[in-house]
Amino acid sequence: MAEKKMIRVTLRRSPHGRIADHKKCVAGLGLRRMHQTVEVEDTPQNRGMINKVSYMLETKEV
C-alpha cells in the first residue's frame, strides 16, 4: 500500500479578528497557537481549507 502524502502547515498570522469561517478552517487543520506546526494528510478537503486561509499559513509538502 502506498504511503499517504502529508503537508506540514504552520500558523504564521493570528486568526484573531478574522471571518468566522476562516477561524473554523484554522481549527479544522488542528492549529491552536501562533507558530504551531502540524502535519495533515493531503486530501481535497484539507487542501480546500489550506487554500481558503493561505494568507495566514506557511505550507510545505513532506
Side-chain angles (χ1 to χ4, degrees):
M1 189 168 157
E3 193 173 324
K4 296 179 183 178
K5 288 189 176 181
M6 301 296 281
I7 303 173
R8 188 172 289 151
V9 183
T10 305
L11 185 60
R12 291 293 179 200
R13 299 191 64 160
S14 175
H16 183 73
R18 308 287 181 188
I19 299 169
D21 284 349
H22 291 199
K23 289 181 183 182
K24 289 178 185 176
C25 285
V26 169
L29 290 167
L31 295 164
R32 298 175 182 210
R33 292 178 292 283
M34 290 287 297
H35 309 292
Q36 179 183 7
T37 301
V38 295
E39 285 190 11
V40 295
E41 192 175 338
D42 188 4
T43 63
Q45 294 83 2
N46 286 337
R47 283 282 183 172
M49 288 192 284
I50 290 168
N51 287 338
K52 192 169 198 173
V53 293
S54 62
Y55 65 96
M56 286 193 277
L57 304 176
E58 183 178 292
T59 60
K60 181 180 179 185
E61 293 193 24
V62 180

